[in-house]
Amino acid sequence: MSEEKWTTEEIGEIQEDIMAALETVIDPELGIDIVNLGLIYEVNLAENGYCEIKMTLTTMGCPLADVLTEQIHQAVKEIDAVKDVDVKLVWYPAWTTDRMSRYARISLGIK
């Protein structure tokens, strides 16, 4: 049984698809997607279809952690190449508004 091997280009395309899927996950409190908020720190994809997403939250006690994690699972599992998703919450480096995209800053009125 041969393992599926992806080219560097294919992995890049799949990671772009994953990021696009993550842009559909909206923080309910802020109304901005988690990518533009700068909450996604890292996306790793193994050749067996295992996807590990390292992300943070705007605050350590954020009550939406479970909601966002579930939405991430739903969004990313729509990608054929992804067979399993694991979301890991990380707290370092700490999230600041500096991580937000220009779009998110304008939308929230932050300079």
Side-chain angles (χ1 to χ4, degrees):
M1 186 168 165
S2 65
E3 224 18 70
E4 187 176 332
K5 299 285 184 201
W6 292 321
T7 66
T8 304
E9 184 177 304
E10 288 171 328
I11 290 173
E13 289 172 5
I14 296 166
Q15 286 182 316
E16 284 177 20
D17 291 344
I18 293 168
M19 292 303 287
L22 293 173
E23 286 179 346
T24 69
V25 178
I26 307 297
D27 182 303
E29 289 181 323
L30 299 174
I32 307 284
D33 68 86
I34 60 175
V35 173
N36 279 294
L37 285 174
L39 299 180
I40 302 300
Y41 282 6
E42 195 175 315
V43 174
N44 297 306
L45 182 65
E47 290 191 359
N48 63 0
Y50 171 75
C51 178
E52 179 188 74
I53 298 169
K54 292 183 181 177
M55 69 170 290
T56 195
L57 300 169
T58 55
T59 60
M60 197 173 279
C62 179
L64 298 172
D66 291 340
V67 172
L68 291 173
T69 300
E70 180 58 34
Q71 289 179 7
I72 290 168
H73 278 270
Q74 290 173 358
V76 175
K77 284 216 171 179
E78 294 293 316
I79 300 166
D80 290 338
V82 176
K83 306 300 181 212
D84 190 28
V85 181
D86 191 14
V87 178
K88 298 197 183 281
L89 289 177
V90 295
W91 303 108
Y92 184 82
W95 180 87
T96 66
T97 55
D98 293 340
R99 294 192 53 86
M100 294 169 65
S101 71
R102 183 174 180 269
Y103 161 77
R105 290 170 183 279
I106 291 169
S107 295
L108 296 173
I110 298 172
K111 295 183 180 189

